[in-house]
Amino acid sequence: MLDVNLLRKDLAHVIARLETRASPQTFLDVERFQRLEAERKTIQTETEQLQARRNALSKEIGQRKGRGEDASAQMDEVGGIGARLAASAERVDAVQRELAAMLMALPNLPDEGVPVGPDETANVEIRRWGTPPTFDFAARDHVDLGAPLGLDFETGAKLSGARFSFLRGPIARLHRALAQFMLDTHTGEHGYTECYTPYIVNRDVLEGTGQLPKFKEDMFWVSRGGDEESPEQYLISTSEISLTNSVRERVLAADALPIKLTAHTPCFRSEAGSAGRDTRGMIRQHQFDKVEMVQIVHPDASAAALDEMVGHAETILRKLGLAYRVMLLSTGDMGFGASRTYDLEVWVPAQNTYREISSCSNCDAFQARRMQTRFKNAQGKNDYVHTLNGSGLAVGRTLVAVLENYQNADGSITVPAVLQPYLGGTTTLRA
């Protein structure tokens, strides 16, 4: 959530930054905001005047009583002021709730250094690593390569519908090996604490990280036994949600920062806005696994933490020997809560292109303000932390990349050296 003081002090600047994402009318009803702000200021001024008048009357009442004089008129006026103050407080609360609802619908402001553009066409390539493999045979895609190894979309569709998969045998073992390798690297080399989190969370948790209220249609939600009166609950679309919210409504000690958390979880996305995209294979599924990284840091450290997190995701790709590139996303391509985002895109031979495999974002204080997560600063005052999140990596897409980049002419898959210990020393996967 944006700091409302930003809008009060320089509304034109906020609109200009939002406009780099999309039309400002999409995000902020300026006329309504200004009307509510004017009403809030008027009530605040009237409240201060009434409080001053009540204080003066209270003093006068005391003086009159001390002199033995009648103070009933002053006391009646104080009673009337009390009723007016109560009504003003009730109206201020209503105005503040309206303002808060408006702020909850606003995306984060892009960092000044983010390239301005409408979509992914304005993203900027930062660097590349590795050389895409060449084959002396016709490269096959992961669907054809995976089928003999246990990748089964037919059973997944029979059980749950389109965009679900069923893994068995060698392919299931490879999938598990990838997740374990990622967790071991992030915990053993990068200093993250491994977590196991709920896969179902409450509505206010999703509001904390920004998935709600705007993106409900992208979520799967559940009810308990069909009870319509039970609270709304949702399947997580990423463990960023549960990891980041683990510090919600807390005031942290400054020396507890940074907090670095990681988890391997399934992720559930309805993909409401992606009809017709990547319908073949594992690139875009309703259920997929991901190893997530989250950092909770001091505001002064978040820019460096983002670079560090990108490096942690890169380490996984480098250890796997997969060619990739790093892209700085434009204002029109960033997520709702991000102020700055880097995507890592891995080479996918069958598509002859790079595809996103990790997204690392700095959210500044945007999520912390929604979650009310603060720390004691050097002056002893409560200040908002900064939050960051990144994929380290998407397990299914990494599986796709390993299958396609390490394929052999006979359809077997050479197992990357770093994964062999997780597969009992197996060097090649065969049907």
Side-chain angles (χ1 to χ4, degrees), residues 142-163:
H142 69 281
V143 178
D144 292 338
L145 291 165
L149 299 173
L151 180 56
D152 183 353
F153 293 102
E154 183 178 347
T155 300
K158 187 182 298 183
L159 294 173
S160 304
R163 298 196 180 188

Side-chain angles (χ1 to χ4, degrees), residues 221-255:
W221 58 92
V222 298
S223 60
R224 295 181 179 177
D227 180 5
E228 294 182 358
E229 296 182 359
S230 64
E232 288 184 29
Q233 291 190 303
Y234 296 79
L235 296 170
I236 60 171
S237 56
T238 165
S239 58
E240 166 205 341
I241 295 165
S242 42
L243 292 174
T244 306
N245 275 279
S246 67
V247 294
R248 67 181 289 109
E249 298 172 353
R250 289 175 57 188
V251 177
L252 305 167
D255 59 9

Side-chain angles (χ1 to χ4, degrees), residues 182-192 262 291 293 312-313 316 392:
M182 294 172 191
L183 283 175
D184 286 350
T185 302
H186 293 317
T187 57
E189 299 181 20
H190 300 153
Y192 292 83
T262 188
V291 172
M293 304 176 290
H312 294 161
I316 301 297

Side-chain angles (χ1 to χ4, degrees), residues 70-323:
D70 180 25
S72 57
Q74 289 77 12
M75 293 174 67
D76 288 344
E77 186 177 351
V78 166
I81 289 173
R84 291 170 64 186
L85 285 172
S88 293
E90 185 176 336
R91 180 54 193 157
V92 165
D93 285 345
V95 169
Q96 297 283 32
R97 285 194 298 271
E98 285 192 65
L99 287 169
M102 293 181 73
L103 289 173
M104 288 291 280
L106 293 178
N108 203 355
L109 298 184
D111 183 87
E112 295 289 349
V114 171
V116 175
D119 50 37
E120 67 274 5
T121 60
N123 295 347
V124 175
E125 183 174 319
I126 302 301
R127 59 182 170 272
R128 294 190 183 199
W129 185 90
T131 302
T134 57
F135 304 102
D136 56 6
F137 55 89
R140 287 182 274 180
D141 74 1
H142 69 281
V143 178
D144 292 338
L145 291 165
L149 299 173
L151 180 56
D152 183 353
F153 293 102
E154 183 178 347
T155 300
K158 187 182 298 183
L159 294 173
S160 304
R163 298 196 180 188
F164 288 90
S165 57
F166 191 99
L167 279 62
R168 57 168 64 85
I171 203 77
R173 292 182 65 208
L174 179 60
H175 187 269
R176 173 167 54 85
L178 283 165
Q180 290 181 309
F181 159 65
M182 294 172 191
L183 283 175
D184 286 350
T185 302
H186 293 317
T187 57
E189 299 181 20
H190 300 153
Y192 292 83
T193 298
E194 183 176 351
C195 303
Y196 174 82
T197 84
Y199 302 159
I200 298 175
V201 296
N202 299 325
R203 179 184 178 88
D204 57 353
V205 169
L206 287 161
E207 290 175 340
T209 39
Q211 284 77 20
L212 292 181
K214 287 187 73 71
F215 303 106
K216 181 175 180 177
E217 296 307 313
D218 291 327
M219 309 293 298
F220 286 102
W221 58 92
V222 298
S223 60
R224 295 181 179 177
D227 180 5
E228 294 182 358
E229 296 182 359
S230 64
E232 288 184 29
Q233 291 190 303
Y234 296 79
L235 296 170
I236 60 171
S237 56
T238 165
S239 58
E240 166 205 341
I241 295 165
S242 42
L243 292 174
T244 306
N245 275 279
S246 67
V247 294
R248 67 181 289 109
E249 298 172 353
R250 289 175 57 188
V251 177
L252 305 167
D255 59 9
L257 304 176
I259 297 172
K260 300 167 67 174
L261 308 173
T262 188
H264 165 222
T265 67
C267 305
F268 304 90
R269 298 185 185 179
S270 70
E271 300 286 359
S274 63
R277 296 176 61 192
D278 296 313
T279 55
R280 178 175 168 83
M282 297 186 70
I283 294 293
R284 194 177 297 274
Q285 298 263 281
H286 290 313
Q287 176 184 319
F288 61 94
D289 280 31
K290 184 153 63 82
V291 172
E292 185 73 2
M293 304 176 290
V294 161
Q295 293 200 28
I296 315 294
V297 305
H298 190 285
D300 294 342
S302 66
L306 179 59
D307 291 339
E308 178 187 68
M309 185 175 286
V310 172
H312 294 161
E314 287 185 84
T315 295
I316 301 297
L317 290 170
R318 293 189 182 197
K319 285 177 177 287
L320 289 170
L322 296 172

Side-chain angles (χ1 to χ4, degrees), residues 319-348:
K319 285 177 177 287
L320 289 170
L322 296 172
Y324 67 89
R325 66 181 184 180
V326 179
M327 305 293 290
L328 174 60
L329 299 197
S330 71
T331 54
D333 198 31
M334 290 196 309
F336 182 79
S339 65
R340 189 179 187 90
T341 298
Y342 292 96
D343 272 6
L344 275 64
E345 298 179 347
V346 69
W347 180 256
V348 179

